[in-house]
Amino acid sequence: MMGTMNFLQAINLALKEEMHRDEKVFILGEDVGRRGGVFLATEGLYEEFGDRVLDTPLTESAIAGVGIGAAMYGMRPVAEMQFADFMLPAVNQIVSEAAKIRYRSNNDFHVPMTIRAPYGGGVHGALYHSQSLEAMFNSIPGLKVVIPSSPYDAKGLLKAAIRDEDPVLFFEHKRAYRLLKGDVPEDDYVIPIGKANVVREGDDVTVITYGLCTHFAQQAATALEKEDISTHVLDLRTVYPMDREAIVEAAKKTGKVLLVTDDNKEGSVLSEVAAIIAEECLFDLDSPVQRLAAPDVPAMPYASPLEKYYLVTKDKVESAIRDLAQF
Amino acid sequence: MMGTMNFLQAINLALKEEMHRDEKVFILGEDVGRRGGVFLATEGLYEEFGDRVLDTPLTESAIAGVGIGAAMYGMRPVAEMQFADFMLPAVNQIVSEAAKIRYRSNNDFHVPMTIRAPYGGGVHGALYHSQSLEAMFNSIPGLKVVIPSSPYDAKGLLKAAIRDEDPVLFFEHKRAYRLLKGDVPEDDYVIPIGKANVVREGDDVTVITYGLCTHFAQQAATALEKEDISTHVLDLRTVYPMDREAIVEAAKKTGKVLLVTDDNKEGSVLSEVAAIIAEECLFDLDSPVQRLAAPDVPAMPYASPLEKYYLVTKDKVESAIRDLAQF
Amino acid sequence: MHKYERAGLQKDDLLYMYRTMLTARKIDERLWLLNRAGKIPFVISCQGHEAMQVGAGMALERGKDYLLPYYRDLAMVVHFGMTIEDIMMSNFAKEQDISSGGRQMPGHYGSKKLGIVTGSSPVTTQVVHAAGYALAGKMEGKDFVCLTSFGEGSSNQGDFHEAANFAGVHRLPVIFFCENNHYAISTPLDRQLSCVNVSDRAKGYGMHGETIDGNDPIAVYAAVKAAVERGRNGEGPSLIEAVSYRLTPHSSDDNESTYREADEVTEAKGRDSITTFAQYLKELGFFTDEDEQAMHDEIQAAIDEATDAAEAAKYASPESALLHVYDQ
Amino acid sequence: MHKYERAGLQKDDLLYMYRTMLTARKIDERLWLLNRAGKIPFVISCQGHEAMQVGAGMALERGKDYLLPYYRDLAMVVHFGMTIEDIMMSNFAKEQDISSGGRQMPGHYGSKKLGIVTGSSPVTTQVVHAAGYALAGKMEGKDFVCLTSFGEGSSNQGDFHEAANFAGVHRLPVIFFCENNHYAISTPLDRQLSCVNVSDRAKGYGMHGETIDGNDPIAVYAAVKAAVERGRNGEGPSLIEAVSYRLTPHSSDDNESTYREADEVTEAKGRDSITTFAQYLKELGFFTDEDEQAMHDEIQAAIDEATDAAEAAKYASPESALLHVYDQ
Ligand SMILES: Cc1ncc(C[n+]2csc(CCOP(=O)(O)OP(=O)(O)O)c2C)c(N)n1
Ligand SMILES: Cc1ncc(C[n+]2csc(CCOP(=O)(O)OP(=O)(O)O)c2C)c(N)n1
Ligand SMILES: [Mg+2]
Ligand SMILES: [Mg+2]
């Protein structure tokens, strides 16, 4: 069975299937119950699963911390942070607790919890409803950070995250929710966490990216076919810990590497990709590593012209690939 | 006037001088008053400045947030976080507020605040009194992150941080406090934030590092002189935003680059250094970029043999330089 | 003696009060129209909060005291000096937006010259800044007070607790002003709060606490005025909770049909201060139907003009997005 | 009727209570000696807290209820099943440390099989986990309760507030047990807390709150027992504050001479439960000086043995530092 659905529906379906499959799975977060979440990711689940879909008070540290406690007990909480930006009050629980519990207890306790959060901009969300926060969490051993790039991946990766025995931060691009549509099997499949995915084979330039930018990279690659530029696209899928092997292979494939993120540049997760390349395949490169990213300003402004200036787009990716192909 | 003092005394002196110089400077934190701080960084200041050295309740988010409010009003708060590990409850105030206030208010408000925190391990502090947290803050435009490597630098950089018009995170290696001694002028000098510093000229291998590891790198370089290995050492001093120019120059100088941190490796601030090198001086390198770091585990264990296994030491730096020289 | 007299108010004050409430309401209504017409991307409303906001704001001294508001405080900031045009510029995200030059969403008020401290979206952070302002004032020997506002849902955030305790320990002149409108987006009081009144928390911070009718601007004025006096006299902070109801959906992005009944909203509209306070003024003989109509017309004209000006105004340049990350 | 009878306790319970208190005290004293002799790097003490910890712990059912303790809770975890050897292994950071295999500092208790939930150093995080355990229990239809403890300084952290409110809203069987020892490192009550009693905060969370003498293990037992019953009956959480005094410096790294007078400590030692409760038992005729001596000797011998065993035990291998980051 296969259906065409958007990214948001794929998320919703994954949640529903996992709640059916395992009664230890429950959802908690702000407005996830009757309201179905402010983006409707949990729509219909309260009606179907009742108190297993729990509206919490407006307290992110408690959402994370209660989830951690319940997970240590043996449940599989799926916490929703209303916006990635609002995870920040929960950072102590996520970094000091969730990430370190298995290690500090010498494997006695563990935290099988998923934290979902919409990230990214382009929807007039301004500074605090547009941020990409993955870079704050890409140096925290014990955590996994997953960012799907299509409805198919969203379903398979979210199911894998929920079944994972360790805490997973699961970032969903809020613009992807309705923009991305695709075929999603209605049966049970999971996509392994920790593995990157070649979404397009090519010979001239390698693009390494993740999330919504994967979509832009694919669009750009298609457009550039006309110019006889063949683009290889690697979707990281998991941005922490990274799939070194896949990165090295993709970089060597063409010898010209463009890294793309919609986060700001300095210190983004692309830095680690570049570092892996600098360690492993320096002599296989034909041109310097390029990074395309948002400018290094605190976050995306509200006014349309400024937001547009800030955003990474298909056109910007396209021209960066072209430049690199011509290097 | 010049005195030999340790790193801790240099910090204490900088605080004292700045409090004398500008009555808007005040200190707040846990146990900073009569107790003089748990590491004694503020020793004697309560006696001298009274209520300008304020013991706060045990609430890091309030320490940061009250500091931010006072700074917006026009004061120059110097907040102490008792251990870097305990900054995590304050992340929302630091990242959502301190870092973004100038930008979001279109330059109407700003936050001239310094947040000091002891970081790093090697003193039996175990998981939660040993962490290096700079990597969590090296992708946050609006913040500056400074990590001094000597008593001289500690004084000059802390004074610069306090006078800076923007928020500065100032990490002090807790093992450096008593380990590092050096000449510190008793007069007023500041060291510019944002500029790296060549602490040793050399021709064979470039080490780029910061904080206490700079000390190890210098020791290793001295030891390697006997083997006719000449080491160039760049101390980043400011790890965010980074001094691209100095990094490129240092990398080109020898063509062989070793990056060193006592943080764990993946996603550390070294990733950005490697990325800059991969972007700017790929064709000037004679060997792949090397990173020496702690293993990717959540934090340093308590038991001595495990702590030792985790730590970056002078010996580890020395052998990494040697390997690279022989590449 | 009338209750407004007991509160130390005069006829002119009451008329000003009403005009300010009405101005905010009418701006708010215009914003919804602009949003539905596709002219502005987002609205967050003050409807139902006008009385408490104006009552509280009037208890402060402009030019001296500080306001650390939240996104619903349109009426409060209008009282504090933001013009209708300022508000429109910010809703259209134009360069002239005094809060942020169009960088922030509407409702994120700030202006150094007006004593309104810049705010963000993550709730309750401003509550801690209020303690910081008050601490600075105490250190500098000033006698200003700081009023910071937040929703009842937001009173559950850790930052509220830490700020209230800090202000309590240091006896800082902070007024913690909770605007209880019964909902935090879709979450009603009983799933949000474990106490009966938010002001039940005051004792835990050693401060005065009280709960008042947020539809009665005079009662709110009186309670906040007393808190201001305590603050100036070194008697520390207060927690004032004003109770009303959110008359609109949470924001223009919300759909409230899944979580509350239309009846409940209709009933709350019966207590709407815009109606009841006009009625009160008329009963006092301070105000006629004609006065009311004139006031409406006058405000409407000003809003029309400000809307046109804001619509015609220019955006900041795209490259200006790079400015003001650090001191230059 | 004696107060211990009113509390439902019997002679044997009282003797067990005292033995457990004394065991903890004597372990603690040994740890200081080991530290001063350079054999262990760090000590954090329970001295002054023994009565409240044992009283509270005994009100729970081992094997059923959960403990989410903090670093001072040596006496509580000894009651909950940690042996003297377990404690020594952890202080020597040996592989056999059941809490962490030598990875964490001492005082960071945890053992799944004993129902003691692993804790960290940043204060108050465990308080939120307690609400999570209790929520899971409620979802699964269990009737266990969760006791979580923390210092009075830590009750100011945002996480305390958020957890207490969460437990209040969902009427979860959590016992918030505050061990008020008058200091948070160097910071005394009046610079830490804005309320008179920490239990003044209970009303703000719609829960029962009370403050009791932490040197009286029977009073603590009775208060916690009642809280356990409320919890099991679906009547929600409680906030119990036990007041005593920290008889040692904050930790082996602390120097208390700068912030408190020796007199104050001496005075508090006059109320030390280890002395007063022994006295009480003797007055009841349950205990003689000889019994006391015998108990001391017996415990001492066990401590000697455990110390030797822990000193001789091996560390985890250095490379084992790489294990257990993720599921393998
Ligand atoms: C830390 C944080 N979490 C979540 C949100 C999303 N959010 C915006 S407003 C709101 C509800 C606020 O409710 P309340 O405090 O009662 O204020 P009201 O909107 O009712 O005036 C939420 C959950 C946010 N802005 N900040
Ligand atoms: C979040 C955090 N901040 C700071 C510390 C450092 N610290 C350890 S114990 C302590 C004092 C705790 O006082 P209290 O809660 O009263 O407990 P007590 O030690 O008196 O039992 C502090 C500040 C910490 N562990 N965690
Ligand atoms: Mg509300
Ligand atoms: Mg204490």
Side-chain angles (χ1 to χ4, degrees):
Chain A
M1 280 273 290
M2 186 78 110
T4 295
M5 57 181 76
N6 68 26
F7 194 98
L8 186 65
Q9 290 164 324
I11 296 288
N12 186 269
L13 181 60
L15 291 170
K16 186 166 147 170
E17 286 182 9
E18 291 304 298
M19 291 186 80
H20 274 296
R21 182 178 175 273
D22 182 351
E23 59 177 25
K24 303 287 181 197
V25 176
F26 75 99
I27 292 174
L28 76 170
E30 293 155 13
D31 307 295
V32 295
R34 287 197 177 76
R35 179 76 181 83
V38 296
F39 289 99
L40 301 181
T42 58
E43 193 176 22
L45 300 180
Y46 176 76
E47 288 68 21
E48 190 164 351
F49 300 100
D51 286 346
R52 286 171 63 199
V53 185
L54 195 80
D55 276 338
T56 64
L58 176 32
T59 51
E60 285 76 11
S61 190
I63 293 171
V66 165
I68 290 166
M72 283 197 281
Y73 175 79
M75 309 296 284
R76 292 195 173 268
V78 183
E80 175 172 305
M81 298 282 162
Q82 205 157 73
F83 285 82
D85 316 65
F86 306 142
M87 287 173 70
L88 294 178
V91 162
N92 190 38
Q93 284 289 349
I94 296 170
V95 175
S96 300
E97 302 298 319
K100 295 186 175 57
I101 280 173
R102 183 188 292 280
Y103 192 78
R104 79 177 184 221
S105 69
N106 207 23
N107 217 25
D108 196 16
F109 291 83
H110 70 288
V111 181
M113 171 166 72
T114 303
I115 299 182
R116 297 178 39 246
Y119 81 101
V123 298
H124 300 295
L127 275 80
Y128 297 102
H129 299 79
S130 306
Q131 289 174 79
S132 299
L133 284 185
E134 58 276 14
M136 287 193 72
F137 300 101
N138 84 328
S139 58
I140 313 294
L143 279 188
K144 299 178 183 178
V145 184
V146 174
I147 310 187
S149 66
S150 72
Y152 178 87
D153 279 19
K155 181 178 166 193
L157 286 167
L158 182 51
K159 287 165 71 88
I162 294 172
R163 296 183 203 176
D164 202 278
E165 295 299 334
D166 290 298
V168 177
L169 303 187
F170 195 87
F171 289 110
E172 303 161 7
H173 202 295
K174 63 178 79 69
R175 229 183 116 203
Y177 278 152
R178 289 163 202 285
L179 181 68
L180 301 190
K181 298 185 183 67
D183 284 339
V184 177
E186 302 245 334
D187 44 61
D188 191 33
Y189 67 97
V190 294
I191 297 175
I193 291 176
K195 294 278 162 225
N197 184 34
V198 178
V199 293
R200 185 189 177 101
E201 297 273 356
D203 300 311
D204 297 328
V205 171
T206 296
V207 178
I208 304 180
T209 185
Y210 59 97
L212 184 60
C213 289
T214 306
H215 175 67
F216 297 142
Q218 287 170 295
Q219 288 185 316
T222 305
L224 287 163
E225 277 172 11
K226 295 190 218 69
E227 301 172 31
D228 259 347
I229 296 173
S230 161
T231 311
H232 191 80
V233 182
L234 183 73
D235 171 14
L236 291 169
R237 277 185 174 164
T238 296
V239 301
Y240 187 81
M242 277 197 186
D243 185 350
R244 288 180 76 91
E245 227 173 292
I247 290 167
V248 170
E249 197 180 307
K252 287 186 178 171
K253 179 85 192 297
T254 70
K256 289 181 170 183
V257 185
L258 172 68
L259 311 180
V260 183
T261 180
D262 43 11
D263 194 3
N264 52 270
K265 180 172 168 184
E266 183 169 347
S268 71
V269 302
L270 301 184
S271 311
E272 179 62 29
V273 181
I276 291 170
I277 294 171
E279 282 176 340
E280 303 269 0
C281 31
L282 188 81
F283 300 123
D284 302 291
L285 295 192
D286 302 322
S287 70
V289 172
Q290 299 291 317
R291 286 185 284 174
L292 173 65
D296 281 319
V297 305
M300 195 174 301
Y302 182 61
S304 289
L306 282 73
E307 184 186 76
K308 212 167 140 204
Y309 179 82
Y310 181 101
L311 283 172
V312 168
T313 58
K314 176 227 157 203
D315 289 347
K316 291 181 189 173
V317 179
E318 187 178 321
S319 86
I321 297 174
R322 189 181 296 113
D323 288 351
L324 197 51
Q326 286 158 3
F327 182 88
Chain B
M1 280 270 294
M2 186 77 110
T4 295
M5 58 181 76
N6 67 28
F7 194 97
L8 187 65
Q9 289 164 325
I11 295 287
N12 187 268
L13 181 61
L15 291 169
K16 186 166 147 171
E17 287 183 10
E18 291 305 298
M19 291 186 79
H20 274 296
R21 182 175 174 274
D22 181 351
E23 59 178 25
K24 303 287 182 196
V25 176
F26 75 99
I27 292 174
L28 77 169
E30 293 156 13
D31 307 294
V32 296
R34 288 198 177 75
R35 180 76 182 82
V38 295
F39 289 101
L40 302 179
T42 57
E43 192 176 22
L45 301 180
Y46 175 77
E47 289 68 20
E48 190 163 350
F49 300 101
D51 287 345
R52 285 172 62 202
V53 185
L54 195 80
D55 276 338
T56 64
L58 176 32
T59 51
E60 286 76 11
S61 189
I63 293 170
V66 166
I68 291 166
M72 283 196 281
Y73 175 80
M75 308 296 284
R76 291 194 172 268
V78 183
E80 175 173 304
M81 298 283 162
Q82 205 158 72
F83 286 82
D85 316 65
F86 306 143
M87 286 173 70
L88 294 178
V91 163
N92 190 39
Q93 284 289 348
I94 295 170
V95 175
S96 300
E97 302 298 320
K100 296 185 175 57
I101 279 173
R102 184 187 291 280
Y103 192 77
R104 78 176 185 223
S105 69
N106 209 21
N107 218 23
D108 196 17
F109 290 83
H110 70 288
V111 182
M113 172 167 70
T114 303
I115 299 183
R116 298 178 38 248
Y119 81 102
V123 298
H124 300 295
L127 276 80
Y128 297 102
H129 299 79
S130 304
Q131 288 173 80
S132 299
L133 285 185
E134 58 276 13
M136 287 193 72
F137 300 101
N138 85 326
S139 57
I140 313 293
L143 281 188
K144 299 178 182 178
V145 184
V146 174
I147 310 187
S149 66
S150 71
Y152 178 87
D153 279 18
K155 182 178 165 191
L157 286 167
L158 181 52
K159 287 166 71 88
I162 294 171
R163 295 184 203 176
D164 201 280
E165 296 299 334
D166 291 297
V168 178
L169 303 187
F170 195 88
F171 289 110
E172 303 160 6
H173 202 295
K174 63 178 79 67
R175 229 184 117 202
Y177 278 152
R178 287 161 204 286
L179 181 69
L180 301 189
K181 298 186 183 64
D183 284 339
V184 177
E186 302 245 336
D187 45 59
D188 192 33
Y189 67 95
V190 294
I191 297 175
I193 291 176
K195 292 278 162 226
N197 183 33
V198 177
V199 292
R200 184 187 177 101
E201 297 273 356
D203 301 310
D204 298 327
V205 171
T206 296
V207 177
I208 304 180
T209 186
Y210 60 96
L212 183 60
C213 289
T214 307
H215 175 68
F216 298 142
Q218 287 169 295
Q219 288 184 316
T222 304
L224 288 163
E225 278 172 9
K226 295 189 218 70
E227 301 172 31
D228 260 348
I229 296 172
S230 161
T231 311
H232 191 80
V233 181
L234 183 72
D235 172 13
L236 292 169
R237 276 184 174 164
T238 297
V239 300
Y240 187 81
M242 276 196 187
D243 185 348
R244 290 181 73 92
E245 224 174 294
I247 290 167
V248 171
E249 196 180 309
K252 287 187 178 170
K253 180 84 193 298
T254 70
K256 290 180 170 184
V257 185
L258 172 68
L259 311 179
V260 184
T261 180
D262 42 11
D263 194 3
N264 53 270
K265 180 173 168 183
E266 184 169 346
S268 72
V269 302
L270 301 185
S271 310
E272 180 62 29
V273 181
I276 291 170
I277 294 171
E279 282 176 342
E280 303 270 0
C281 32
L282 188 83
F283 301 123
D284 303 291
L285 294 194
D286 304 320
S287 69
V289 173
Q290 299 292 316
R291 286 185 284 174
L292 174 64
D296 281 319
V297 304
M300 196 172 301
Y302 182 61
S304 290
L306 282 72
E307 184 185 78
K308 212 168 141 201
Y309 179 83
Y310 181 102
L311 283 172
V312 168
T313 59
K314 176 228 156 203
D315 289 348
K316 292 180 188 173
V317 178
E318 188 178 322
S319 84
I321 297 174
R322 189 182 296 113
D323 288 352
L324 198 51
Q326 285 158 4
F327 183 88
Chain C
M1 203 152 95
H2 284 288
K3 76 174 174 186
Y4 74 86
E5 291 168 313
R6 276 199 307 277
L9 293 168
Q10 301 179 354
K11 176 182 168 186
D12 281 354
D13 298 323
L14 301 192
L15 289 173
Y16 169 83
M17 222 170 214
Y18 188 65
R19 169 182 287 276
T20 311
M21 288 162 53
L22 188 66
T23 302
R25 171 65 59 90
K26 291 180 77 71
I27 295 172
D28 203 284
E29 288 170 346
R30 169 60 56 88
L31 295 176
W32 281 92
L33 292 176
L34 290 167
N35 175 261
R36 292 321 186 207
K39 295 204 168 181
I40 61 175
F42 181 75
V43 182
I44 189 122
S45 264
C46 70
Q47 296 188 37
H49 292 241
E50 295 89 345
M52 60 172 92
Q53 290 175 7
V54 176
M58 283 178 69
L60 303 179
E61 200 175 309
R62 280 176 297 194
K64 171 175 183 166
D65 296 325
Y66 289 92
L67 214 57
L68 296 97
Y70 85 122
Y71 49 80
R72 291 213 189 281
D73 283 323
L74 175 55
M76 205 186 278
V77 300
V78 165
H79 163 70
F80 239 64
M82 288 208 179
T83 65
I84 301 175
E85 194 171 302
D86 290 338
I87 302 298
M88 286 300 169
M89 289 295 174
S90 119
N91 276 277
F92 279 92
K94 296 301 171 75
E95 187 169 27
Q96 286 174 65
D97 159 32
I98 63 166
S99 294
S100 76
R103 291 175 170 201
Q104 290 223 75
M105 289 179 130
H108 291 60
Y109 305 107
S111 161
K112 202 162 211 173
K113 85 170 186 284
L114 296 176
I116 301 172
V117 180
T118 175
S120 63
S121 309
V123 299
T124 332
T125 50
Q126 78 281 7
V127 175
V128 197
H129 304 165
Y133 264 78
L135 176 69
K138 190 178 168 186
M139 287 180 140
E140 302 267 288
K142 310 278 165 147
D143 75 338
F144 63 75
V145 304
C146 301
L147 184 140
T148 183
S149 55
F150 49 89
E152 82 292 345
S154 302
S155 80
N156 296 315
Q157 282 279 342
D159 268 2
F160 165 79
H161 181 67
E162 297 194 8
N165 184 60
F166 195 102
V169 167
H170 291 284
R171 304 201 68 64
L172 302 177
V174 181
I175 299 161
F176 295 90
F177 187 66
C178 180
E179 306 190 14
N180 181 344
N181 63 6
H182 283 78
Y183 284 90
I185 307 188
S186 74
T187 311
L189 288 181
D190 64 343
R191 259 176 295 154
Q192 190 64 252
L193 287 172
S194 51
C195 46
V196 180
N197 294 309
V198 173
S199 65
D200 291 343
R201 294 183 169 163
K203 193 180 175 202
Y205 309 115
M207 65 175 79
H208 174 87
E210 83 191 87
T211 298
I212 43 174
D213 177 3
N215 283 317
D216 179 351
I218 298 172
V220 176
Y221 172 83
V224 176
K225 187 86 189 164
V228 168
E229 271 155 32
R230 282 191 299 276
R232 293 213 210 287
N233 294 338
E235 293 167 54
S238 301
L239 173 57
I240 310 290
E241 174 188 22
V243 182
S244 178
Y245 191 87
R246 198 189 74 207
L247 297 175
T248 61
H250 174 74
S251 74
S252 52
D253 290 342
D254 188 24
N255 168 5
E256 65 183 23
S257 68
T258 51
Y259 62 83
R260 68 179 184 184
E261 303 292 333
D263 282 3
E264 189 185 294
V265 183
T266 311
E267 201 216 304
K269 283 192 173 154
R271 293 185 300 274
D272 183 354
S273 64
I274 299 294
T275 327
T276 58
F277 197 58
Q279 192 55 38
Y280 176 74
L281 292 181
K282 288 177 196 166
E283 281 161 15
L284 285 172
F286 288 175
F287 202 51
T288 63
D289 289 348
E290 294 70 52
D291 294 339
E292 191 178 5
Q293 192 54 53
M295 199 186 269
H296 269 269
D297 293 345
E298 213 179 294
I299 295 170
Q300 204 62 57
I303 291 175
D304 290 344
E305 200 179 315
T307 306
D308 293 344
E311 200 169 354
K314 69 181 190 359
Y315 288 110
S317 75
E319 305 72 30
S320 74
L322 301 178
L323 299 177
H324 310 314
V325 180
Y326 299 101
D327 187 34
Q328 250 114 21
Chain D
M1 204 153 93
H2 285 289
K3 76 173 171 186
Y4 73 88
E5 291 168 313
R6 276 200 306 277
L9 293 168
Q10 301 179 352
K11 176 182 168 187
D12 280 355
D13 298 323
L14 301 192
L15 289 173
Y16 170 82
M17 220 170 213
Y18 188 66
R19 170 183 286 276
T20 311
M21 289 162 55
L22 187 66
T23 303
R25 172 64 59 90
K26 289 179 78 71
I27 294 172
D28 204 285
E29 288 171 347
R30 168 60 57 90
L31 295 176
W32 281 92
L33 292 176
L34 290 167
N35 175 262
R36 293 319 186 208
K39 295 202 169 183
I40 61 174
F42 182 75
V43 182
I44 189 120
S45 266
C46 70
Q47 296 188 37
H49 293 240
E50 294 89 346
M52 60 172 91
Q53 291 175 6
V54 176
M58 284 178 69
L60 304 180
E61 199 174 311
R62 282 175 296 192
K64 170 176 183 166
D65 296 325
Y66 288 93
L67 214 58
L68 295 96
Y70 84 123
Y71 49 81
R72 291 213 190 280
D73 283 322
L74 175 54
M76 204 186 278
V77 300
V78 165
H79 163 69
F80 239 65
M82 289 211 179
T83 65
I84 301 176
E85 194 171 301
D86 290 338
I87 302 298
M88 285 300 169
M89 289 294 175
S90 118
N91 276 278
F92 279 93
K94 295 302 173 73
E95 186 169 26
Q96 286 173 65
D97 159 34
I98 62 166
S99 295
S100 76
R103 290 175 171 199
Q104 290 223 76
M105 289 179 130
H108 290 60
Y109 305 109
S111 161
K112 203 162 210 173
K113 85 169 186 286
L114 295 176
I116 301 171
V117 180
T118 176
S120 63
S121 308
V123 298
T124 332
T125 49
Q126 77 282 6
V127 175
V128 197
H129 304 165
Y133 265 77
L135 176 68
K138 189 177 170 188
M139 287 182 141
E140 302 266 287
K142 309 278 166 139
D143 76 336
F144 63 74
V145 305
C146 302
L147 184 142
T148 183
S149 55
F150 48 89
E152 81 292 346
S154 302
S155 80
N156 296 317
Q157 282 279 342
D159 268 3
F160 165 80
H161 181 66
E162 298 195 7
N165 183 60
F166 194 102
V169 166
H170 292 284
R171 303 200 69 62
L172 302 177
V174 180
I175 299 161
F176 296 90
F177 186 67
C178 180
E179 306 190 15
N180 181 342
N181 63 7
H182 283 79
Y183 284 89
I185 306 186
S186 74
T187 312
L189 287 180
D190 65 342
R191 258 176 296 152
Q192 190 64 253
L193 287 171
S194 50
C195 45
V196 179
N197 294 309
V198 173
S199 66
D200 291 343
R201 293 180 170 166
K203 193 180 176 201
Y205 310 114
M207 66 175 80
H208 174 86
E210 82 190 86
T211 298
I212 42 174
D213 177 3
N215 283 316
D216 180 351
I218 297 172
V220 176
Y221 173 82
V224 176
K225 188 83 188 166
V228 168
E229 272 153 31
R230 282 191 298 274
R232 293 214 210 287
N233 295 337
E235 293 167 54
S238 301
L239 173 56
I240 310 289
E241 175 188 21
V243 182
S244 177
Y245 191 86
R246 196 188 74 207
L247 297 176
T248 61
H250 173 73
S251 74
S252 53
D253 290 343
D254 187 26
N255 168 6
E256 64 183 26
S257 68
T258 49
Y259 62 83
R260 69 180 183 184
E261 302 292 332
D263 282 3
E264 189 185 293
V265 183
T266 311
E267 201 215 305
K269 283 191 173 153
R271 292 185 301 274
D272 183 356
S273 64
I274 300 293
T275 328
T276 57
F277 197 57
Q279 192 55 37
Y280 176 72
L281 293 180
K282 288 176 195 166
E283 281 161 15
L284 286 170
F286 290 174
F287 202 52
T288 64
D289 287 349
E290 294 72 49
D291 295 337
E292 190 178 6
Q293 192 56 51
M295 199 186 269
H296 270 268
D297 293 345
E298 215 181 293
I299 295 170
Q300 203 63 58
I303 291 174
D304 289 345
E305 202 180 312
T307 306
D308 292 344
E311 199 169 355
K314 68 182 194 354
Y315 288 110
S317 74
E319 304 73 29
S320 75
L322 300 179
L323 301 176
H324 310 315
V325 179
Y326 300 102
D327 187 33
Q328 250 113 22

